[in-house]
């Protein structure tokens, strides 16, 4: 206790704070507090956070510290503090010092934040010098990650460095009492960035014609049914009138986007409520500084063109995420389709030249600005299930916040994620920093963006990886790149199995205690036995690799990827492998849904094993059941058939169910529990023949999956569950699991901060390597 | 057909089959070793083994394949093929008439290619230990040019020429196995390529690299060239010829036509200024009448092999591991 006493009475203390303390008004806050406590010394940004030195009356530094911790600025997060008692150095005042770049820490960058209420008010105030200024921001809001070139976060190291502050802005920037004290992206109409409206050939659209702002001009263009490309916070977006079927269809055609729903931006929460039934959590997310797209249940009469949401019962909805969007929505005033400005398979276009070149054939008019976007950052997508926010796509507003903290002694590493919905994850001194969503790595452009992100994040973290974790798929893009980067950094490459990564991501995010049952259900991933996995159960212990204990009974995928695009192929495969059970209903369905010749060819392929990988994929089982229940044609987007099945199940949730959920049969097979879908499929078939509605069948199927999860858990005597894989984007399934978990007193961990789909794989890879290192 | 020393009668029958096809008892001359006249120049030598099901297919058989494969390997070093050897491993139970047809086909292919089968050997293995017929051929050819034909000669700016449409051989085999049939009959592209190659070299065109498009298709062949050259090959998707029926069959089986094997197609990488002349010379030969420029070599970029599609999106083509696993999650 003696030490405490000395410390409490210390006349000088030094604090080294790690966490999200830069770009949130932390230093002015410290300044005001220190002055109020009559202290001298300094505060400064370091690479890893903030350093404070305070000295004064004995005891005053301690009182200052308590006050600081009691009232941190809104967006600040403190992860770790190192405090040192030191000798007073005789400072004459309290100063905010220029940044210090001491290596060794883990710098934390802040994400881009939507405009705060004060800034919005200023923009709407005709007497303000920032009236209608589309780059208004302050220490509480505005761009961060998308403009940061290197750390620490200072204007000179952002893409604002080319703009010289005018005297008035400089005064605000230097005034500790001002909301814009040290707001790095500060600017105003006379000194900051500005917008321009261009035709797709790059020529400027002149002002006049009665339009006083570019926003008004663009709104007029949109009202004409045209497509606008807007250079937003993290790159281009494409905009179209959400009530015009013609405009939305044209956008779909030009963007080569078949069926994936579009998100819509609305001016305010009231407008959002008119489109969707919002829960409290959904409202909170919509209005949060991250301003993501929220997938909310559509209301009764959704006033949107049919081609916006397509088949989905959810509407992707968002509020203005930047001052420019806010100004546009002020004039436009109704739902607006907002989608990423990229060619299919490529990353967002971030420069004006790139936008004009690649999107010139899609957009009629370009709304651009001259504040360079340093890196592509897409809009984030979130959904709420069982009252909890679950990330679907983690980008603007969230990335690159750390997602996990582990022992600082763990080796620094880099996880390259999966080939689709890619994110990467750096581990530096035990802090896992995950990149924004980088998309599919099939194009050269996306691979380049991916490599740049690897480099840029690594540079800001000042990290050199000892280990590079990659997806174990030998044809995957991360495998090849991993080997190349490993040579460059002299690091070891560790392949991590896809589904192990899925369940580990969820386990570490939730800090789920072990042992636990990990359930990984997705489309396809490369398994350790050379087959395709996707319906797997793992036992997770304190240490070691997750042990695969159960899987779906494997079936063939005739034509590989083609079987992913055409659910009828999976149905055909299941029908063939029913063994003693004949599926008459499915046979009839296949007669209607597939040409005879094609069926013959698929049968021959399966009989002779021509391009028919074997798979235990749950996603493909969903596809087959969806086809059975009436899903026709090809999947227009990923998970299309499964989403249909989910919405049929949800539609029927009020109906009286004929019979119980379908039964699964389990049996031991080569040291694994095999989950046999054949008796279940037979029951599905019988229901179909008896004319049971597709909604009821879909519901019984979902319920049987809920039962399956808990039956397997019981079998292994586990009452903690962790989930991973794209199948868990299914809200109906998750609600069923959550309900059952409650009644069975099981602890159900959901992927929340990190997507359950392949966007979470990179964190799982980090976690897998950390376990190996421990073991 | 009976195996080993037991089936004296069988061995006699096999001898007679080869005798009628090649004019000698086991695919070659009756002496244990062939003594060859070698014209002046450098010698090229290669060997390859052939395994295919079914043994006979539209456009050829394992016999003609065994000749073309080895002739083409010689041709890809710019050599003029002269002599072949032939080793047969026959499975007990193989119908003699099948063997006879394969042997005849092989002899005809050799004659058409202007090479002599100079020696050979036959073994019979137990039923179930083979796939009907396996054939090994080795070949000797003569190199009369002074070019260094290899990936290390490839330079940025070079043109990549393909001698014809892709995927016919692989899809012919695969379609037969899957019970697919085509109205007008899809045939294997199996053919000897040395005359087409010779036409280009004789004209004095400084060819940098030659490679026949076999297993793994265009993707594997070009990845290999680009990787060992340390450069990037950029393809234009629209310029790569694939027949409609091949494309349809690929769609049905879920295969990528760019990864399907050919047996009568080759790639030539050469300086751009000789592109036109080389194209004309290639088009003048029947086997390469459909020759075209499909891409260009550049300094090493994002990946060794890139392909630009209709909208200008550049896709990365990766060397297939041969497992044909789905990539879509
Ligand atoms: Fe996955
Ligand atoms: Mg060969
Ligand atoms: Zn603000
Ligand atoms: Zn200013």
């Amino acid at each position: 206790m003696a030490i405490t006493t000395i410390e409490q009475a210390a006349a000088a203390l030094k604090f080294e704070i790690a966490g999200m303390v830069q770009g949130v008004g932390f230093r002015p806050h410290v300044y005001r507090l220190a002055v109020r406590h009559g202290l001298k010394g300094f505060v400064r940004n370091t690479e890893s956070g903030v350093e404070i030195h305070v000295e004064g009356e004995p005891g005053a530094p301690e009182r200052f510290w308590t006050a600081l911790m009691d009232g941190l600025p809104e967006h600040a997060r403190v992860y770790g503090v190192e405090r040192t008692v030191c000798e007073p150095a005789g400072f004459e005042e309290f100063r905010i010092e220029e940044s210090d770049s001491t290596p060794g820490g883990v710098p934390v960058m802040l994400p881009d934040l939507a405009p705060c209420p004060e800034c919005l008010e200023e923009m709407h105030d005709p007497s303000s010098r920032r009236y209608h200024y589309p780059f208004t921001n302050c220490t509480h809001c505005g761009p961060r990650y998308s403009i940061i070139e290197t750390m620490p976060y200072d204007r000179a190291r952002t893409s604002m460095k080319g703009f010289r502050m005018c005297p008035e802005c400089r005064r605000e920037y230097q005034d500790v009492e001002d909301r814009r004290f040290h707001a790095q992206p500060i600017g105003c109409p006379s000194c900051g960035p500005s917008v321009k409206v261009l035709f797709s050939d790059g020529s400027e659209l002149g002002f006049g014609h009665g339009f006083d702002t570019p926003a008004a001009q663009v709104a007029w263009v949109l009202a004409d049914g045209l497509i606008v490309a807007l250079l937003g916070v993290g790159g281009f977006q494409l905009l179209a009138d959400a009530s015009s079927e013609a405009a939305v269809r044209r956008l779909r055609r030009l963007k080569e986007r078949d069926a994936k729903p579009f998100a819509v931006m609305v001016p305010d929460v009231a407008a959002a409520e008119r489109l969707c039934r919002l829960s409290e959590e959904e409202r909170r997310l919509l209005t949060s500084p991250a301003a993501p797209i929220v997938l909310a249940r559509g209301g009764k009469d959704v006033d949107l063109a049919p081609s916006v949401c397509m088949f989905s019962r959810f509407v992707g909805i968002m509020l203005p995420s930047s001052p420019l969007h806010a100004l546009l929505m002020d004039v436009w005033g109704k739902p607006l389709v907002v989608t990423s400005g990229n060619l299919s398979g490529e990353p967002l276009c971030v420069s004006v030249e790139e936008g004009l070149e690649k999107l010139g054939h899609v957009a009629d008019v370009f709304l651009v600005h001259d504040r360079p976007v340093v890196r592509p950052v897409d809009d984030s997508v979130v959904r709420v299930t069982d009252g909890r926010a679950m990330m679907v796509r983690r980008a603007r507003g969230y990335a690159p916040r750390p997602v996990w903290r582990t022992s600082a002694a763990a080796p620094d590493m880099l996880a390259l994620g999966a080939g689709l919905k890619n994110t990467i994850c750096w581990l530096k001194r035990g802090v896992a920093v995950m990149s924004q969503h980088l998309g599919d790595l099939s194009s050269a452009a996306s691979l380049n963006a991916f490599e740049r992100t690897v480099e840029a994040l690594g540079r800001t973290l000042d990290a050199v990886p000892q280990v590079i974790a990659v997806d174990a798929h030998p044809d995957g893009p991360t495998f090849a790149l991993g080997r190349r980067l490993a040579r460059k950094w002299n690091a070891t490459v560790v392949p991590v199995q896809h589904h192990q990564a899925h369940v580990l991501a969820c386990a570490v995010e939730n800090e789920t205690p072990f042992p636990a049952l990990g359930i990984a259900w997705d489309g396809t991933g490369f398994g350790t036995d050379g087959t395709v996995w996707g319906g797997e159960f793992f036992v997770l212990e304190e240490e070691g690799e997750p042990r695969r204990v159960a899987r779906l009974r494997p079936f063939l995928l005739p034509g590989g990827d083609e079987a992913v695009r055409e659910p009828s192929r999976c149905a055909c495969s299941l029908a063939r492998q029913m063994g003693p059970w004949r599926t008459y209903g499915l046979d009839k369905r296949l007669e209607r849904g597939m040409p005879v010749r094609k069926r013959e060819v698929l049968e021959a392929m399966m009989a002779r094993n021509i391009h028919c990988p074997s798979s235990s994929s749950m996603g493909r089982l969903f596809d087959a059941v969806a086809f059975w229940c009436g899903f026709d044609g090809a999947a227009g987007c990923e998970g299309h058939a499964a989403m249909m099945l989910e919405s049929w199940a949800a539609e029927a949730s009020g109906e009286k169910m004929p019979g119980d959920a379908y039964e699964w049969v389990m049996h031991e097979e080569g040291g694994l529990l095999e989950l046999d879908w054949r008796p279940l499929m037979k029951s599905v078939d019988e229901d179909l023949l008896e004319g049971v509605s597709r909604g009821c069948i879909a519901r019984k199927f979902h319920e049987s999956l809920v039962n399956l999860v808990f039956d397997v858990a019981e079998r292994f005597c586990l009452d903690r569950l962790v989930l991973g894989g794209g199948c868990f984007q299914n809200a109906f399934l998750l609600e069923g699991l959550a309900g059952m978990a409650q009644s069975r007193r099981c602890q159900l961990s959901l992927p929340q901060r990190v997507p359950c789909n392949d966007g979470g794989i990179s964190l799982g890879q980090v976690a897998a390597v950390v376990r190996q290192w421990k073991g | 057909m009976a195996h080993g020393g037991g089936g004296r009668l069988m061995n006699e029958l096999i001898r007679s089959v080869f005798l009628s096809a090649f004019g000698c008892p086991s695919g070659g001359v009756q002496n244990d070793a062939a003594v060859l006249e070698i014209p002046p120049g450098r010698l090229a030598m290669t060997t390859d083994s052939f395994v295919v099901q079914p043994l006979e297919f539209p456009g050829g058989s394992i016999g003609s394949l065994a000749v073309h494969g080895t002739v083409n390997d010689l041709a890809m070093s710019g050599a003029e093929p002269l002599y072949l050897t032939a080793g047969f491993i026959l499975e007990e139970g193989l119908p003699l008439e099948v063997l006879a047809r394969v042997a005849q086909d092989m002899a005809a292919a050799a004659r058409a290619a202007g090479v002599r089968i100079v020696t050979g050997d036959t073994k019979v293995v137990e039923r179930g230990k083979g796939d009907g017929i396996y054939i090994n051929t080795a070949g000797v050819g003569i190199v009369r040019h002074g070019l260094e034909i290899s990936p290390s000669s490839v330079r940025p700016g070079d043109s990549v020429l393909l001698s014809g449409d892709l995927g016919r051989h692989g899809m012919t085999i695969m379609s037969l196995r899957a019970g697919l049939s085509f109205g007008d009959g899809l045939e294997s592209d199996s053919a000897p390529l040395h005359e087409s190659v010779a036409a280009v070299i004789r004209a004095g065109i400084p060819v940098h690299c030659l490679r026949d498009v076999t297993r793994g298709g265009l993707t594997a062949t070009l990845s290999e060239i680009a990787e060992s050259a340390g450069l990037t090959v950029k393809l234009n998707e629209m310029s790569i010829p694939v027949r409609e029926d091949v494309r349809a069959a690929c769609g049905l089986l879920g295969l990528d036509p760019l990864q399907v094997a050919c047996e009568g197609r080759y790639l030539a990488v050469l300086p751009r200024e000789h592109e036109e002349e080389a194209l004309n010379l290639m088009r003048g030969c029947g086997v390469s009448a459909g020759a075209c420029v499909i891409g260009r070599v550049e300094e090493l970029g994002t990946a060794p092999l890139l392909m630009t599609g209709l909208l200008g999106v550049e896709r990365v083509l990766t060397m297939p591991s041969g497992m044909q696993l789905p990539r879509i999650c």
Side-chain angles (χ1 to χ4, degrees), chain A residues 444 448 475 524 608 611 638, chain B residues 177 253-254 302 314 321 328-329:
Chain A
N448 284 336
D475 286 354
T524 54
R608 285 163 213 161
H611 200 202
E638 196 197 8
Chain B
R177 292 173 53 201
L253 302 192
T302 314
E314 265 175 29
S321 65
I328 298 179
C329 181

Side-chain angles (χ1 to χ4, degrees), chain A residues 42-229:
Chain A
F42 65 86
V43 57
R44 67 182 174 199
N45 279 347
T46 62
E47 273 207 356
S48 53
V50 159
E51 183 188 335
I52 305 171
H53 178 98
V54 276
E55 58 187 60
E57 288 295 306
E62 182 60 33
R63 285 193 296 279
F64 153 84
W65 178 249
T66 313
L68 178 64
M69 286 298 107
D70 281 351
L72 287 172
E74 195 188 338
H75 299 296
R77 302 273 184 287
V78 170
Y79 294 134
V81 179
E82 261 192 61
R83 53 192 286 157
T84 324
V85 181
C86 43
E87 287 297 310
F91 285 101
E92 298 195 337
E93 52 170 8
F94 194 86
R95 284 199 316 265
I96 294 177
E97 286 198 348
E98 284 312 304
S99 297
D100 171 63
S101 309
T102 46
V106 184
V108 184
M109 277 180 278
L110 212 71
D112 305 292
L113 302 173
C116 72
E118 286 110 313
C119 284
L120 282 175
E121 203 175 299
E122 235 180 301
M123 279 160 52
H124 291 139
D125 174 4
S127 69
S128 156
R129 66 192 192 92
R130 290 196 177 85
Y131 180 56
H132 282 179
Y133 182 56
F135 301 94
T136 307
N137 59 67
C138 70
T139 48
H140 304 124
C141 70
R144 299 285 189 277
Y145 183 49
S146 67
I147 59 164
I148 292 174
E149 287 164 354
T150 54
M151 287 294 271
Y153 177 52
D154 275 325
R155 188 174 174 103
R157 282 175 281 262
T158 69
S159 64
M160 283 299 293
K161 65 180 178 220
F163 298 93
R164 252 184 91 87
M165 276 183 240
C166 68
E168 253 177 298
C169 283
R170 179 157 298 281
R171 192 191 49 72
E172 290 169 340
Y173 183 84
Q174 288 171 338
D175 178 3
V176 276
E177 296 301 327
D178 196 280
R179 202 170 90 247
R180 297 203 168 82
F181 175 71
H182 279 227
Q184 309 303 348
I186 189 176
C188 73
S190 67
C191 71
S194 56
V195 298
K196 258 194 300 199
V197 184
L198 307 175
F199 285 117
S200 55
D201 65 359
S203 64
E204 208 165 330
L205 206 76
F207 273 109
H209 316 290
F211 301 110
D212 51 353
T213 64
Q217 212 167 11
V218 163
W220 174 72
V221 168
L222 287 167
D224 241 15
L226 298 178
I227 296 169
V228 171

Side-chain angles (χ1 to χ4, degrees), chain B residues 51-303:
Chain B
V51 173
V52 68
Q53 273 304 327
L55 295 172
E56 297 169 284
F57 45 82
S61 70
I62 188 169
S64 51
L65 210 58
V67 170
H68 296 152
T70 294
V71 162
N72 291 346
D73 282 350
L74 289 171
M76 293 308 126
S77 61
E80 176 190 320
L82 297 173
Y83 308 110
L84 297 187
T85 71
F88 290 81
I89 293 173
L90 307 175
E91 186 188 2
E92 195 188 348
L94 172 79
L96 263 187
E97 32 326 342
V98 174
L99 180 63
R101 283 199 302 270
V102 165
Q104 294 290 353
D105 197 36
M106 188 169 185
R111 264 195 310 279
V115 289
R116 280 173 51 210
I117 298 175
V118 291
T119 186
D121 174 58
T122 309
K123 292 281 182 302
V124 179
V125 296
E126 249 175 274
R127 194 184 289 264
K129 295 259 166 91
D131 232 350
I133 306 178
Y134 297 146
I135 303 178
N136 171 277
T137 50
V140 173
I142 198 84
V143 180
R144 297 179 201 270
H145 60 78
L147 300 170
E148 168 78 17
I149 297 178
S150 111
S152 59
S153 304
V154 174
R155 294 288 172 271
D158 280 358
S159 299
V160 179
L161 281 64
L162 172 65
S163 71
D165 64 300
L166 291 175
R168 267 199 249 169
H169 175 74
M171 287 323 290
T172 302
I173 300 295
M174 218 91 76
S175 302
L176 276 176
R177 292 173 53 201
L180 275 172
S181 67
F182 299 93
D184 274 332
L186 183 58
E187 285 195 348
S188 167
D189 48 33
S190 180
L193 300 168
H194 60 290
E195 275 167 17
S196 169
V197 170
V200 176
I201 291 178
R202 262 200 316 266
I205 294 174
V207 176
H208 288 165
C209 188
L210 295 165
R211 205 50 80 78
D212 53 342
V213 181
T214 53
R215 209 175 318 149
L218 183 76
T219 308
T221 312
L222 260 182
S223 295
E224 231 173 75
I225 295 177
E227 255 167 55
S228 39
L231 297 167
T232 285
V233 171
K234 205 175 269 183
L235 298 175
N236 179 351
E237 188 171 10
M238 260 62 69
S239 68
I240 300 173
V242 178
R243 262 170 46 160
E244 230 9 85
D245 50 1
V246 170
R247 207 178 280 286
C250 280
L252 205 47
L253 302 192
L255 299 170
D256 176 359
L258 267 48
Q259 293 190 17
V260 174
C262 308
E263 287 295 344
R265 297 286 177 256
Y266 72 99
L267 288 161
V269 186
L270 41 86
R272 191 172 186 166
E273 63 263 33
H274 297 284
E275 178 188 296
E276 272 305 314
E277 193 190 354
L279 264 186
N280 287 333
L281 290 164
M282 285 168 78
R283 285 175 181 160
C285 297
V287 292
S288 49
C292 53
V293 178
I294 58 165
R296 219 158 289 288
V297 180
E298 297 183 354
E299 295 289 353
L300 184 62
T302 314

Side-chain angles (χ1 to χ4, degrees), chain A residues 498-499 502 522-524 725-726 757-758 761, chain B residues 329:
Chain A
H498 188 89
H499 302 95
H502 266 315
D522 68 358
T524 54
N757 57 44
D758 285 6
I761 288 289
Chain B
C329 181

Side-chain angles (χ1 to χ4, degrees), chain A residues 637-749:
Chain A
C637 61
E638 196 197 8
H640 188 176
M643 280 189 254
M644 289 310 296
L645 198 66
E646 178 196 344
S647 59
W648 293 334
E651 276 164 24
S653 55
E655 279 177 50
K656 200 175 111 36
M657 289 253 284
D660 296 329
Y662 302 120
E663 292 279 339
W664 283 87
V665 173
M666 305 182 202
H667 48 81
E668 212 48 67
E669 181 88 37
L672 270 181
L673 193 61
E674 184 165 286
L675 312 169
D676 192 344
W677 37 262
R678 292 176 301 173
L680 177 146
M681 290 298 145
K682 181 65 186 166
S683 314
V684 170
D685 203 59
E686 280 163 4
D687 272 1
L688 268 170
L689 283 172
E690 274 168 37
V692 176
S693 76
R694 66 183 186 193
C696 285
I697 294 175
R699 223 179 106 196
K700 284 166 79 174
F701 177 68
H702 278 82
E703 283 169 14
S704 77
L705 293 178
V706 172
N707 293 342
L708 174 68
V709 165
F710 288 91
D711 289 350
V712 174
E714 201 169 84
R715 199 152 166 145
F716 291 97
C717 305
L718 294 168
D719 58 2
R720 294 186 203 100
L721 306 174
V722 298
L723 307 181
C727 290
F728 294 111
Q729 273 164 215
N730 181 325
F732 193 77
L733 177 63
L734 275 189
E735 276 154 20
L737 288 171
M740 185 73 97
Q742 201 163 36
S743 67
R744 296 231 190 161
R745 297 175 188 288
C746 282
Q747 181 186 335
L748 178 69
S749 301

